[in-house]
Amino acid sequence: MKIAVLGAGAWGTAVAIHAARRHQVSLWARTAEHAQEMLAQRTNARYLQGIAMPAAMQVFAGVADAEAVAEYDLVVLAAPVAGLREQLTALRGSQVPLVWLCKGFEHVQSGADYGLLPHEVLAQVDPHLLAGVFSGPSFAQEVARQQPTAM
């Protein structure tokens, strides 16, 4: 299975490391600088110090759009909820199933009484995108270190 993990923070990196033990995984960082650091060090020193990335795991930079992820079997969106709308907008029209890792509420838009949950943002941006949530009571470092956890 080919998996694109969009977001190279602690969660995105941990899920990418875990998945790369069994699947072909590409991790997408927001900046070229961060991607280059991870490639050079084969670790994400900013967020998961001391945890090595599998040699076969690829690292890219930038915001992925529907065309960039078309070759993948699954997209894992690991951006914070504040970046969810932007990333979903970039993926609009994608036929690749997507799961997001973020939780919480989007910042309150003007005129709204409350912020939106991720599934409500999805309904506004692209209600036809096959998507769901991947969550659980765990920590990124536990997942990356293969410690017992639940997702």
Side-chain angles (χ1 to χ4, degrees):
M1 175 180 263
K2 286 182 71 172
I3 302 171
V5 179
L6 312 181
W11 264 122
T13 304
V15 168
I17 288 170
H18 184 75
R21 294 183 178 115
R22 292 181 182 84
H23 304 285
Q24 185 178 346
V25 175
S26 299
L27 178 63
W28 293 66
R30 182 184 301 243
T31 67
E33 176 188 26
H34 190 196
Q36 290 168 355
E37 287 173 9
M38 289 188 292
L39 283 170
Q41 300 170 8
R42 295 309 299 171
T43 187
N44 189 340
R46 292 185 188 184
Y47 298 102
L48 289 175
Q49 292 182 354
I51 300 174
M53 295 188 310
M57 194 169 95
Q58 297 178 325
V59 180
F60 298 108
V63 176
D65 59 17
E67 185 179 333
V69 300
E71 67 182 78
Y72 292 92
D73 301 306
L74 177 67
V75 173
V76 177
L77 181 49
V81 74
L84 180 65
R85 182 176 296 272
E86 175 187 0
Q87 188 62 71
L88 287 174
T89 299
L91 294 171
R92 188 179 286 145
S94 173
Q95 300 299 307
V96 181
L98 173 138
V99 294
W100 61 77
L101 305 179
C102 61
K103 57 187 179 232
F105 295 91
E106 183 182 53
H107 180 72
V108 176
Q109 304 295 318
S110 70
D113 292 332
Y114 56 89
L116 300 178
L117 290 166
H119 73 279
E120 294 171 316
V121 175
L122 174 70
Q124 286 184 351
V125 174
D126 188 352
H128 303 293
L129 184 64
L130 181 59
V133 63
F134 184 61
S135 183
S138 58
F139 296 99
Q141 292 173 339
E142 292 173 347
V143 171
R145 290 189 175 117
Q146 301 185 56
Q147 294 174 331
T149 188
M151 291 296 289

